[in-house]
């Protein structure tokens, strides 16, 4: 249960494989990060999918974005960060574009199960 009521919060993340391959910190820190991802992927309200490097260029390369939904009573909004700051998108046509982009990217990603296997394999190599 979250602070807003009885509805459970849900998080669906699409992550580029390149983010997993970029060493940040020591090998131990990288292994800990991969372990944390694997642990979080077991949570029932979290879905993480990896977008393979082999897929090449994709619309997600334009920058990270989020679509935030707050239930039936409030409309979704978009959110993006860039070097100039944060941008909130509230116009429904723009939010729909972000949602469509998310769906297309998700279709290009590994399934959650395949993503788990990939992260586990990367951890065993670290």
């Amino acid at each position: 249960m979250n602070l807003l009521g009885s509805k459970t919060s849900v998080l669906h993340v699409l992550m580029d494989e390149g983010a997993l391959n970029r060493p940040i910190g020591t090998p131990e820190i990288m292994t800990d990060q991969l372990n944390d991802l694997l642990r979080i992927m077991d949570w029932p309200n979290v879905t993480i999918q990896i977008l393979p490097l082999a897929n090449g260029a994709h619309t997600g390369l334009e920058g990270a974005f989020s679509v935030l939904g707050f239930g039936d009573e409030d409309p979704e909004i978009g959110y993006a960060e860039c070097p100039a700051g944060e941008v909130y998108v509230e116009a429904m046509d723009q939010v729909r574009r972000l949602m469509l982009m998310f769906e297309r990217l998700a279709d290009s990603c590994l399934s959650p199960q395949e993503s788990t296997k990939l992260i586990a394999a990367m951890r065993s190599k670290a």
Side-chain angles (χ1 to χ4, degrees), residues 36-82:
D36 286 345
L37 280 174
L38 290 169
R39 183 177 48 79
I40 291 167
M41 291 171 90
D42 283 336
W43 295 358
N45 60 326
V46 175
T47 302
I48 298 176
Q49 291 181 264
I50 305 302
L51 185 59
L53 289 171
N55 286 17
H58 54 80
T59 57
L61 293 174
E62 295 176 23
F65 67 93
S66 299
V67 177
L68 310 169
F70 302 100
D72 297 335
E73 297 174 15
D74 295 310
E76 288 90 1
I77 63 169
Y79 172 80
E81 289 185 24
C82 64

Side-chain angles (χ1 to χ4, degrees), residues 104-117:
R104 288 181 179 157
L105 285 168
D107 288 344
S108 297
C109 287
L110 299 174
S111 71
Q113 297 78 16
E114 293 169 321
S115 296
T116 299
K117 289 178 186 176

